[in-house]
Amino acid sequence: MNARIPPSSDDAKGNTRPARLRVSGVSKQYPGCLANDDVSLDVRAGEILALLGENGAGKSTLIKVIYGLVAPDSGMIEIDGKARAITSPAAARAAGIGVVFQHFSLFESLTVAENIALGLDDAARRRDLPRRIRDIGERYGLVIDPDRVVADLSVGEQQRVEIVRVLLQDPSILIFDEPTSVLTPQAILGLFETLNQLRREGRAVIFISHKLEEIRTLCDRATVLRGGRVVGTVPVAGASVNDLARMMIGQEMPALGAGSAGQGGPVQLAAHNLSLEPANPHGTALDRLEMRARGGEILGIAGIAGNGQEELLAALSGERLTRTAGAVTLAGQAVGRLGPGARRKLGLGFVPGERLGRGAVPPMSLAENGFLTAHWRVPLTWRWVISTRKRNAFADRVIDEFRVATRSQSTAAQALSGGNLQRFIVGREILSDPRALVVAYPTWGVDVAAVAAIHAALVALRDKGAAVVVMSEDLDELLSLSDCVAVLYRGQLSAPIPRDQCTRENLGLLMSGAAPLDTARTPAQGDVDAA
Amino acid sequence: MRLRLVPRLKPSPVALYGAPVLAIALTVTFGFFLFLGIGRDPWAALYAYFIAPVNSAFGLSEWLLAALPLALIGLGLAVGFRANIWNIGAEGQLVLGAIGGGAVALALWREDVPGTFVLVCVAGALAGMAWAAIPALLRTKFNANEILTSLMLIYVADQLLGWLVHGALRNPQGFGFPESRLFSPEAVMPLLWPGTRLHIGWLALPVAALAVWFLMNHMVAGFRLRVGGDAANAATYAGFSRSRMVWLSFLLTGGLAGLVGAMEVAGPVGQLLPKISPGYGFAAIIVAFLGRLNPVGVVLAAHLLALILIGGENVQMLGVPVAVAQLFQGVLLVTLLASDVLVRYRVVRVGRLGERARG
């Protein structure tokens, strides 16, 4: 067993215990994509192993294989030196494997204890569950009230529920799939405490991330995946951020963010006294929200998911109309009662968070996907008839100027990688020449090269005098890109904070509600509305 | 070892054209043994099904005439179905077209207005559109499910026709039979092919097929319908009004179905009867899907379906029971739809998963 992957002697902590979990030679072929190509890794008791890789590198597939959700085409899983056939999640749990997924599977209308009881394999263990939830909470710093309803919990608290649920099974191997992507900076520190406690207890932990600083502070070793293959496994202590980045993306890290500051001009896109009912029972209503985005500036909107992001995006884009026309203004014109098409004609651009199925029609060609929104503002038709020539030329321009890797404009949108499709969508919106561009989660699930290109494109648009509003859950992205940042919390937006006054800490406090929100609303307005 | 279906990255062109051929070959093979099994001459039965209907000029004209309503309605349905808008009530819109067209023909009875048949067709189309506007209005104003409303309106339309031919539109000299007067010659569709029943209305088919093709492939409205069907969220995001899509597809189908209804009563029938259509509005749903919601495909599917409907009648004259004729038709449709799977999936042989995962 040890002959195949010798325990590395260069381990910084001198951890020479045998592997608790060993994965060897895992391959998984999907139609058109080899997701895992002969992947091997091992993780020892009392160790946190980072699984590092860009989106699409094969991390998720590997986790699904380990957890029995996906049957590999080949490969072997050993636990404590013994080969185990893991054919289902139940088998994985029986073998001592627990996974905290990036996307939670909680019933929002049930309490914490009810949710956890539903996930337990063994009915007998449901007795005195609330006490055991509290015990685990104290031991790992995961304080959570078992009787609270999940819908009322913050995202960080919901994640605690997921972790407690997994810990109740007392697993010896824990896998965390991008756990920090949804957390505030303060909540991330709390999670790291929990992970350190797990390590001290001698459990084996796999921590999946593409954030290099987190890995540097937390992990012992890092296994790097690229294009479905293991590039290498290195001790974290000896590697710099640049070393890890080079392994992860196969080249030097490109420059991200804005670099220079924008020149604030007249207000292009604004929300004034904007109230909107939530779109679904667990959404958040917008409450007399104030927002002003100036031309020549990038306004970042920070906030934890579920604080009114969906509602604000729908109100700005025109997918939902506001009660009064003046609640949303575009270049001084009241547009609150106009639909998306009319707003686009007036110069609004919008990049939605969901690329396939919303920002682009999956089976349609890039030419048609370019036409999708551009035809409102770019002359691509002859009356009601589509000019195929102009339509194709527009798509070619987007592909050319934004370096979309594709064979031609006749390729279907669904055949593009996430990063390439996002380049195309951002490019389509920018070449529609907007006065104001709203961008939701621009780099979610996008490779680093595309992130750099998208950031540069947004900055170039800003420098041409357009207002750019970027909504993101990634604070680092907002801090590097925005000229000022406003925080969305419970349907209200803080006054914009200039970039030089923003820190991860003060934004984090606003995002979690620990610091009072200073909205741009004037007291008189609140009085009028209350009357 | 077992077989497994794996999605293709894009539809296979070989399978796209090969699948219908395969389906017809399978059906013919099945039919051969079916007819043999019930003690009939399989060659004669297959001949009656596929050759006899089209081997004379008259047979050919009857075939084209039967395919015309299926194709026209199928073309309209294909537009709506492409946008996931489900007008199931074309049969009712057809009946209203017959009523509207018939009413105009009877109002101008013996008035000697040249070209009355044109007015009859226009009135039929308008009546069909008006009937289709009801589910469209209920959908866009009250979000009522258009499948249910359009379907239920079929039965209302049937009752309306029955009431009229028993009452207001009944032939005063008809000895109380529930049917209208025979239309004046001006109101009857002129023949396109003398000596047969194929009338000038057939010319609407190439026009409609071309128009639907142009709408769906070259016009902004057709593009929006396709986006609405492929990704409803993308249509909302791009600002395409769902209401407009519902109105466009319902009015188009209603108009075509109404035209078919008017051409039926002003064509082969020549008067209003309590029963106008042998179910063209329902069969056209099959035609639309069989034709893959593509105008050329819909026209071909309509002719295939018309052929097996006529063939089914022919073999009954050979003494084949009606149930067997319908069984044969059913097998053809099932194999056609089943072979569609091969267009989007390929069949691969796989070993047992556990063994390979461990190996």
Side-chain angles (χ1 to χ4, degrees):
Chain A
M1 178 180 79
N2 288 346
R4 268 170 103 182
I5 307 172
S8 47
S9 53
D10 48 5
D11 191 317
K13 293 213 156 113
N15 185 340
T16 52
R17 297 189 214 187
R20 172 139 287 168
L21 170 72
R22 166 160 299 167
V23 174
S24 21
V26 165
S27 294
K28 177 68 191 174
Q29 173 86 51
Y30 285 118
C33 153
L34 188 53
N36 277 177
D37 183 4
D38 194 22
V39 171
S40 300
L41 62 78
D42 64 301
V43 54
R44 302 163 197 162
E47 173 187 62
I48 302 181
L49 174 77
L51 184 57
L52 176 64
E54 288 212 78
N55 291 286
K59 294 172 298 186
S60 298
T61 302
L62 183 60
I63 295 317
K64 286 179 185 161
V65 167
I66 295 174
Y67 198 53
L69 284 165
V70 164
D73 300 331
S74 63
M76 180 162 67
I77 293 173
E78 290 165 80
I79 292 168
D80 291 327
K82 278 198 281 292
R84 301 286 289 261
I86 292 176
T87 51
S88 72
R93 287 193 293 270
I97 300 172
V99 179
V100 177
F101 283 101
Q102 191 179 5
H103 300 288
F104 309 146
S105 43
L106 298 172
F107 293 96
E108 298 208 314
S109 52
L110 299 183
T111 66
V112 171
E114 286 166 341
N115 262 293
I116 290 176
L118 279 174
L120 289 181
D121 291 331
D122 180 2
R125 297 173 63 188
R126 288 189 194 139
R127 266 175 298 157
D128 55 86
L129 196 56
R131 186 185 55 75
R132 289 169 50 221
I133 292 173
R134 286 202 188 87
D135 286 352
I136 291 216
E138 271 166 38
R139 192 151 122 218
Y140 296 98
L142 297 164
V143 181
I144 195 92
D145 178 354
D147 297 322
R148 282 181 68 194
V149 174
V150 167
D152 298 334
L153 301 180
S154 73
V155 178
E157 288 170 317
Q158 291 186 21
Q159 187 180 56
R160 284 186 208 164
V161 179
E162 289 277 7
I163 298 174
V164 168
R165 168 147 85 181
V166 169
L167 286 177
L168 273 170
Q169 318 263 4
D170 195 25
S172 58
I173 300 152
L174 278 121
I175 302 171
F176 290 82
D177 188 6
E178 308 234 359
T180 59
S181 61
V182 293
L183 299 180
T184 63
Q186 284 83 1
I188 289 174
L189 292 179
L191 175 70
F192 283 7
E193 277 309 302
T194 305
L195 291 171
N196 279 321
Q197 174 65 21
L198 291 168
R199 167 162 56 192
R200 279 195 293 275
E201 291 178 354
R203 297 179 205 264
V205 178
I206 299 179
F207 178 83
I208 300 170
S209 182
H210 58 254
K211 294 187 184 165
L212 303 171
E213 283 300 340
E214 290 175 357
I215 285 167
R216 293 255 307 143
T217 30
L218 186 70
C219 301
D220 302 307
R221 292 185 302 148
T223 294
V224 185
L225 282 180
R226 189 168 76 224
R229 303 183 67 100
V230 174
V231 182
T233 299
V234 292
V236 167
S240 70
V241 166
N242 273 335
D243 293 338
L244 292 173
R246 216 174 300 121
M247 287 178 77
M248 179 169 80
I249 62 177
Q251 59 185 54
E252 289 299 319
M253 193 81 168
L256 304 180
S260 64
Q263 302 291 317
V267 173
Q268 293 288 358
L269 180 66
H272 172 57
N273 206 16
L274 167 63
S275 295
L276 193 69
E277 292 304 305
N280 61 64
H282 295 299
T284 303
L286 298 182
D287 177 17
R288 291 168 292 159
L289 181 142
E290 297 287 327
M291 186 195 91
R292 268 187 275 297
R294 298 181 182 284
E297 261 186 13
I298 297 180
L299 170 66
I301 295 187
I304 303 167
N307 274 289
Q309 280 90 344
E310 293 310 308
E311 288 76 11
L312 179 57
L313 290 172
L316 291 177
S317 70
E319 285 170 56
R320 292 184 61 199
L321 304 183
T322 55
R323 204 164 301 147
T324 57
V328 180
T329 53
L330 181 60
Q333 193 172 343
V335 296
R337 301 292 303 160
L338 298 181
R343 290 189 202 189
R344 284 184 173 276
K345 277 189 204 163
L346 292 171
L348 182 69
F350 179 47
V351 177
E354 188 190 342
R355 282 188 281 276
L356 270 183
R358 189 170 206 95
V361 185
M364 284 193 176
S365 68
L366 290 180
E368 290 184 300
N369 272 300
F371 184 85
L372 182 70
T373 60
H375 76 281
W376 290 111
R377 201 159 157 80
V378 184
L380 300 178
T381 61
W382 186 80
R383 291 264 184 152
W384 301 295
V385 179
I386 299 169
S387 161
T388 309
R389 190 180 52 80
K390 289 183 191 165
R391 183 195 73 181
N392 293 352
F394 179 81
D396 281 336
R397 235 181 100 206
V398 175
I399 291 166
D400 188 44
E401 289 189 22
F402 291 83
R403 299 219 212 111
V404 181
T406 173
R407 223 172 307 143
S408 77
Q409 33 81 4
S410 63
T411 307
Q414 63 198 4
L416 264 61
S417 71
N420 266 315
L421 185 58
Q422 187 70 337
R423 282 173 191 245
F424 184 82
I425 293 174
V426 170
R428 171 187 77 194
E429 299 300 310
I430 288 179
L431 289 188
S432 301
D433 190 26
R435 297 165 187 280
L437 179 66
V438 178
V439 191
Y441 318 108
T443 53
W444 182 85
V446 163
D447 58 284
V448 174
V451 171
I454 289 165
H455 283 183
L458 294 177
V459 170
L461 180 69
R462 174 199 76 180
D463 291 342
K464 275 175 60 191
V468 179
V469 177
V470 176
M471 184 177 281
S472 176
E473 286 178 357
D474 185 344
L475 267 190
D476 296 324
E477 169 167 56
L478 289 180
L479 288 170
S480 68
L481 190 61
S482 315
D483 296 303
C484 41
V485 178
V487 175
L488 187 64
Y489 178 69
R490 296 208 173 154
Q492 301 192 349
L493 193 65
S494 77
I497 305 164
R499 175 165 38 173
D500 50 14
Q501 294 167 30
C502 290
T503 61
R504 292 176 61 83
E505 285 66 37
N506 65 10
L507 292 178
L509 291 174
L510 289 170
M511 286 160 66
S512 60
L517 214 61
D518 168 31
T519 65
R521 201 197 299 158
T522 55
Q525 272 169 358
D527 294 344
V528 170
D529 279 303
Chain B
M1 189 173 67
R2 58 181 186 154
L3 298 175
R4 196 159 60 141
L5 290 173
V6 177
R8 295 180 192 272
L9 276 183
K10 41 174 139 168
S12 143
V14 176
L16 192 66
Y17 297 103
V21 176
L22 176 70
I24 291 170
L26 281 173
T27 310
V28 167
T29 314
F30 173 83
F32 186 88
F33 291 105
L34 176 73
F35 296 125
L36 201 63
I38 61 167
R40 307 284 159 188
D41 177 0
W43 296 112
L46 289 175
Y47 180 86
Y49 243 105
F50 291 106
I51 313 291
V54 291
N55 73 346
S56 69
F58 182 74
L60 201 61
S61 73
E62 284 297 302
W63 178 39
L64 295 178
L65 193 65
L68 175 64
L70 295 174
L72 282 179
I73 301 174
L75 284 167
L77 290 177
V79 170
F81 290 173
R82 196 65 186 75
N84 291 346
I85 293 165
W86 307 106
N87 179 359
I88 306 298
E91 182 79 1
Q93 292 140 29
L94 183 157
V95 168
L96 257 287
I99 293 174
V104 168
L106 294 170
L108 298 177
W109 188 67
R110 289 202 176 156
E111 298 281 344
D112 294 337
V113 182
T116 304
F117 72 93
V118 177
L119 296 177
V120 168
C121 288
V122 171
L126 290 176
M129 287 163 97
W131 204 245
I134 301 171
L137 186 78
L138 293 174
R139 167 50 107 187
T140 52
K141 287 291 169 210
F142 305 107
N143 203 25
N145 186 320
E146 76 274 14
I147 299 177
L148 292 177
T149 53
S150 64
L151 180 67
M152 289 190 292
L153 280 167
I154 295 173
Y155 306 106
V156 181
D158 274 342
Q159 297 302 319
L160 187 65
L161 175 63
W163 177 64
L164 288 171
V165 294
H166 281 91
L169 300 181
R170 186 172 57 185
N171 184 358
Q173 286 106 46
F175 308 105
F177 282 103
E179 52 187 49
S180 76
R181 293 179 195 279
L182 285 173
F183 299 162
S184 314
E186 293 83 14
V188 172
M189 303 296 289
L191 291 181
L192 187 67
W193 187 347
T196 70
R197 300 198 299 158
L198 189 67
H199 55 76
I200 202 164
W202 185 83
L203 295 176
L205 179 56
V207 174
L210 204 65
V212 165
W213 170 82
F214 191 76
L215 169 73
M216 296 310 283
N217 291 288
H218 289 280
M219 291 186 67
V220 180
F223 174 74
R224 291 178 179 179
L225 286 164
R226 286 190 288 127
V227 173
D230 283 342
N233 284 338
T236 314
Y237 156 70
F240 300 162
S241 154
R242 187 80 186 159
S243 296
R244 272 206 215 172
M245 295 183 203
V246 170
W247 277 107
L248 173 65
S249 56
F250 264 88
L251 292 182
L252 183 71
T253 310
L256 284 169
L259 177 65
V260 165
M263 293 196 311
E264 279 297 298
V265 293
V269 183
Q271 67 183 134
L272 277 179
L273 296 173
K275 187 83 189 151
I276 299 297
S277 153
Y280 289 135
F282 294 113
I285 297 172
I286 301 173
V287 165
F289 280 111
L290 217 51
R292 301 176 208 284
L293 307 184
N294 164 315
V296 179
V298 168
V299 171
L300 292 177
H303 285 83
L304 179 66
L305 204 66
L307 186 65
I308 60 175
L309 289 174
I310 295 174
E313 288 169 16
N314 281 355
V315 290
Q316 286 171 50
M317 285 181 245
L318 292 179
V320 172
V322 62
V324 173
Q326 287 173 348
L327 178 66
F328 184 73
Q329 291 167 5
V331 168
L332 178 56
L333 292 179
V334 168
T335 51
L336 269 174
L337 295 173
S339 63
D340 248 20
V341 170
L342 298 175
V343 179
R344 281 175 296 117
Y345 296 86
R346 61 200 172 85
V347 181
V348 292
R349 292 193 321 199
V350 289
R352 277 187 39 214
L353 279 176
E355 288 171 359
R356 294 192 53 190
R358 260 174 246 134

